[in-house]
Amino acid sequence: MSPISIAPSLPNQWREVRFRFIAATSKGRLPAKEDEDVVAKDVIPYLSMEYLRGDTEASQYVRAQGMVTADEHDVLLLWDGSNAGEFLRAKRGAVSSTAAIVTPLEFDRTFLFWLCKAAEPILKTFTNGMGIPHVDGEFLKNLKLPYPIDDAEQSRIANYLDRETARIDGLIAEKERMLALLEEKRNALISRVVTRGLDPNVPLKPSGQEWLDDIPAHWRVERAKNLLTVRDERSDDGSEELLTVSHITGVTSRSEKDVNMFEADDKAGYKRCMPGDLAINTLWAWMGAMGISPLAGIVSPDYHVYTSNGELLPEYVDLLCRSRPFVAEVSRWSKGVWSSRLRLYPENFFEMRLPVPPHDEQAAIVRAVKLDQRKANELRESLQLSITLANERRAALITAAVTGQIPLQEMTR
């Protein structure tokens, strides 16, 4: 393949150079077996993607000896996985086996970082692999990158992009906080109305259940076994629609989800699930992986399917499954040696106590939540569109700056 350039044309006093002549890459490594229980003060963080993005604190530490190490603001390339081809600024630590450190041979590392970010879309296009994408090392080495001959201009571009992308990132972070607040408001609303109803002045009584606390005086509390029964009907040939159950989306068609998990070729014997049934992912119920099915299909034989005796409306049960107190109670009734290996079996689920409002109140609760979410969805869609446009603006700005399309005067204002 002929070398590919990220810049169709360049200003005067600009040149192009292949990646191999300006930087070298060194892939990270897996930690040694004996590093699994090392003391944190004696070692450095293992640079997971979550830690690099700031989503979590460092969760693993390793000895620096024998590892590929990075310092603050070094350039890292995600080499393998769904984000292969993405460049990140490093933190001090050991480079993971799915990443590589990019060491400058020419140019300041800050300017090199922005050059690499501009090359991301092309590099991602040429990632390959069976199942797990990974960077094509030869393609990367021959990728042609633009640069101004003047070192001072390189510094101006890097400083300009540091400043402008920080401003855009700040706007994006604010909009993401607003999205998080919308989600928090939704969760709080659901958790409140499924256990207290819509009338804030209604007389209350003790429910006798810690997770429910007080409930409206005219509501009942019943064992789940008096409200639901197990549906254990099996598919003859597995030809029905395959459903999946997650804590984020509830019950959905497997075909609608972008998943890479193993799927059995023969689904005969899978459990049938009908519209209005409660499907619970036995392994992940403690995280909230359950919900009412909107369609007919089949689920894994490891899941459990329940049908209502009619006292609880399916839509109300679905809201109940989305409420945090209910999920916490499900976790309490799940059994297992470790928290990450808990299982919710029917004999335990049936011992849970559930609130039973009158049918008309259940229906009113469902309508109120739908109305609230209809309004919230309009704002949510507007925020998400704004974030998408800001990210597009950010990418376009980086490309324009490192290909000489932005006048120097504009970058020095």
Side-chain angles (χ1 to χ4, degrees), residues 383-398:
L383 287 169
Q384 288 170 337
L385 176 60
S386 181
I387 290 172
T388 298
L389 293 175
N391 278 316
E392 290 175 356
R393 160 68 176 157
R394 187 183 193 277
L397 184 73
I398 293 169

Side-chain angles (χ1 to χ4, degrees), residues 61-122:
Y61 291 81
V62 297
R63 293 183 177 86
Q65 185 176 3
M67 300 296 290
V68 177
T69 60
D71 290 321
E72 293 283 341
H73 304 301
D74 276 343
V75 182
L76 290 183
L77 170 60
L78 300 182
W79 198 274
D80 301 297
S82 58
N83 293 294
E86 181 178 349
F87 291 90
L88 297 172
R89 279 184 166 137
K91 297 180 181 180
R92 177 180 174 274
V95 181
S96 77
S97 60
T98 59
I101 188 169
V102 180
T103 305
L105 305 176
E106 295 285 343
F107 308 143
D108 173 81
R109 65 179 177 179
T110 304
F111 180 69
L112 175 64
F113 173 74
W114 292 119
L115 272 181
C116 291
K117 291 299 285 185
E120 256 183 25
I122 292 177

Side-chain angles (χ1 to χ4, degrees), residues 186-227:
R186 172 183 178 271
N187 290 334
L189 173 68
I190 291 173
S191 295
R192 184 179 75 251
V193 298
V194 297
T195 58
R196 288 291 182 93
L198 299 172
D199 183 357
N201 300 313
V202 67
L204 301 175
K205 68 178 181 182
S207 68
Q209 303 300 308
E210 185 176 349
W211 79 272
L212 278 174
D213 198 13
D214 292 341
I215 61 172
H218 60 288
W219 287 21
R220 294 165 34 226
V221 175
E222 288 281 356
R223 281 182 172 167
K225 71 177 182 179
N226 296 328
L227 302 169

Side-chain angles (χ1 to χ4, degrees), residues 211-275:
W211 79 272
L212 278 174
D213 198 13
D214 292 341
I215 61 172
H218 60 288
W219 287 21
R220 294 165 34 226
V221 175
E222 288 281 356
R223 281 182 172 167
K225 71 177 182 179
N226 296 328
L227 302 169
L228 300 149
T229 57
V230 173
R231 183 194 293 278
D232 192 7
E233 301 170 5
R234 304 297 177 122
S235 171
D236 295 329
D237 56 12
S239 61
E240 297 92 335
E241 176 116 26
L242 180 61
L243 309 178
T244 186
V245 186
S246 88
H247 68 287
I248 298 174
T249 56
V251 184
T252 54
S253 171
R254 170 77 175 235
S255 62
E256 295 176 4
K257 299 182 76 70
D258 182 17
V259 292
N260 296 313
M261 294 178 64
F262 170 77
E263 182 178 332
D265 293 329
D266 183 7
K267 301 180 187 64
Y270 271 47
K271 292 181 179 177
R272 287 199 178 98
C273 184
M274 304 305 292

